[in-house]
Amino acid sequence: MTTATTSPLGQLSSRRKFTDKGMTVVVYTAFALALIPLIWLSYTVIARGFDRFMVDANGEANFTLDFLNQTSRNIFGGMPEGGILHAMWGTILMTLAATVISVPIGLLTSIYLVEYGSGKLKKAVTFFVDVMTGIPSIVAGLFAYAVFAIIVGPGTKLGIVGAVALSVLMIPVVVRSSEEMLRLVPNELREAAYALGVPKWLTIIKVVLRTAIAGITTGVTLAIARVIGETAPLLIAVGVADSLNFNLFEGRMMSLPVYIVAEWRKGEQPCNDDTIACVSNITEMNAWAAAFVLIVIVMALNLIARLIAKYFSPKTGR
């Protein structure tokens, strides 16, 4: 009579299957736990932000988009009027100016590090980029304010100062992301271009950058998302305004993050006159609605970046 025995190979296979299933459960559980705060945050911002669009200028429960096409000029107390038009334009203009400043500098720096850099200078540039990546955002605001205080004069608060402060935060992100994307381009592509007699600078423009354009665009989008919600540097460099201003070189500008903080700090407003439309918690509603609009802008920028990356990335296959 013989007894059945389990082979060591069978035991090892069973253990591996058990371990694989256990790790799969852990991964899915971690994924679900990570989604909980994201879903909760999204729901809270959307729900509370949408409440502001259900209050008209008379304080009645009617859907209106006046919040998006009005400024906060001459708005005080619990008046259910005014909006974030000035803050939206300020955010867009300052972020756009910061992108125009930081993307060429960051991209050219990454090209130097990958294609040309060597020796102590390359190490020094890499070191300073790493240092800039970790600086607090308020330091960037102080730096921009100090530079313009020396050039223009003390107390200078302009939209361009805020753009410079944001560019200081954007540059290291653009450098790091672009550098990694350029390193992923196969050397065979460069060597094939050199073999055809193409100069190095033209190879970088036509081959290397064209191949890495999708990743570079994603990196720029991450840099924009990094700075579009910054508050501290803009409070120092730009200040607070309640009027629409399209000129980056004249006067203060409002941004959505600063608007959110300013409205939230006002707290509940007293409503003592029954003849005037008043909503006591209108400032809190304004803050949530501005946060909702800011998230929508970030999502729109990500969508635009993906479309640009899809259009400009090199086509493969048929």
Side-chain angles (χ1 to χ4, degrees):
M1 182 177 180
T2 59
T3 58
T5 58
T6 304
S7 65
L9 185 59
Q11 292 178 351
L12 183 61
S13 178
S14 299
R15 194 182 315 126
R16 286 178 175 175
K17 291 181 179 178
F18 177 79
T19 304
D20 178 69
K21 291 181 179 179
M23 292 306 299
T24 301
V25 172
V26 171
V27 170
Y28 276 101
T29 302
F31 174 71
L33 291 176
L35 281 180
I36 291 175
L38 177 62
I39 295 175
W40 175 81
L41 175 64
S42 301
Y43 172 78
T44 303
V45 174
I46 293 174
R48 296 199 176 190
F50 192 75
D51 287 343
R52 177 62 181 87
F53 296 98
M54 296 303 298
V55 178
D56 60 15
N58 298 319
E60 304 292 336
N62 295 312
F63 178 76
T64 176
L65 293 178
D66 291 342
F67 184 69
L68 298 178
N69 53 36
Q70 294 180 355
T71 67
S72 296
R73 187 171 181 83
N74 298 326
I75 302 299
F76 55 89
M79 297 173 61
E81 301 176 10
I84 58 172
L85 180 64
H86 60 307
M88 288 193 300
W89 275 109
T91 298
I92 293 172
L93 292 175
M94 285 188 285
T95 305
L96 180 61
T99 304
V100 171
I101 296 171
S102 59
V103 170
I105 296 175
L107 186 56
L108 291 175
T109 302
S110 63
I111 291 174
Y112 166 77
L113 292 175
V114 175
E115 304 292 340
Y116 296 98
S118 62
K120 293 183 179 180
L121 180 59
K122 179 180 179 181
K123 293 180 180 179
V125 172
T126 302
F127 172 76
F128 283 113
V129 170
D130 291 338
V131 171
M132 289 179 64
T133 303
I135 64 172
S137 59
I138 194 170
V139 175
L142 288 170
F143 166 76
Y145 176 81
V147 169
F148 278 83
I150 295 173
I151 297 175
V152 182
T156 302
K157 291 183 180 291
L158 305 171
I160 190 63
V161 183
V164 171
L166 296 182
S167 67
V168 173
L169 300 174
M170 287 184 66
I171 288 174
V173 181
V174 175
V175 172
R176 276 286 164 258
S177 59
S178 300
E179 182 183 0
E180 294 301 322
M181 291 301 104
L182 294 177
R183 292 187 188 279
L184 292 177
V185 177
N187 285 327
E188 290 79 3
L189 296 177
R190 297 179 176 88
E191 293 170 356
Y194 297 152
L196 294 174
V198 181
K200 187 172 184 176
W201 67 271
L202 191 57
T203 299
I204 294 173
I205 295 175
K206 293 293 186 179
V207 177
V208 178
L209 290 180
R210 186 64 186 271
T211 305
I213 188 64
I216 293 174
T217 305
T218 303
V220 172
T221 304
L222 291 175
I224 294 175
R226 160 78 169 84
V227 303
I228 199 171
E230 289 292 343
T231 306
L234 297 184
L235 277 172
I236 296 174
V238 187
V240 179
D242 58 5
S243 302
L244 187 60
N245 180 15
F246 292 106
N247 192 346
L248 290 168
F249 298 92
E250 182 179 355
R252 302 187 179 193
M253 299 183 75
M254 180 64 94
S255 65
L256 284 173
V258 176
Y259 177 87
I260 294 170
V261 174
E263 289 296 301
W264 188 268
R265 290 180 59 184
K266 292 178 182 178
E268 188 170 337
Q269 301 296 310
C271 296
N272 300 322
D273 191 348
D274 296 335
T275 61
I276 301 176
C278 178
V279 179
S280 60
N281 64 335
I282 192 65
T283 55
E284 179 181 346
M285 297 172 68
N286 290 340
W288 281 109
F292 171 68
V293 173
L294 182 60
I295 291 177
V296 171
I297 292 176
V298 173
M299 292 177 61
L301 290 174
N302 277 274
L303 178 61
I304 293 173
R306 288 181 178 273
L307 293 176
I308 293 176
K310 181 179 179 181
Y311 179 78
F312 286 102
S313 60
K315 304 299 185 293
T316 59
R318 295 183 178 179

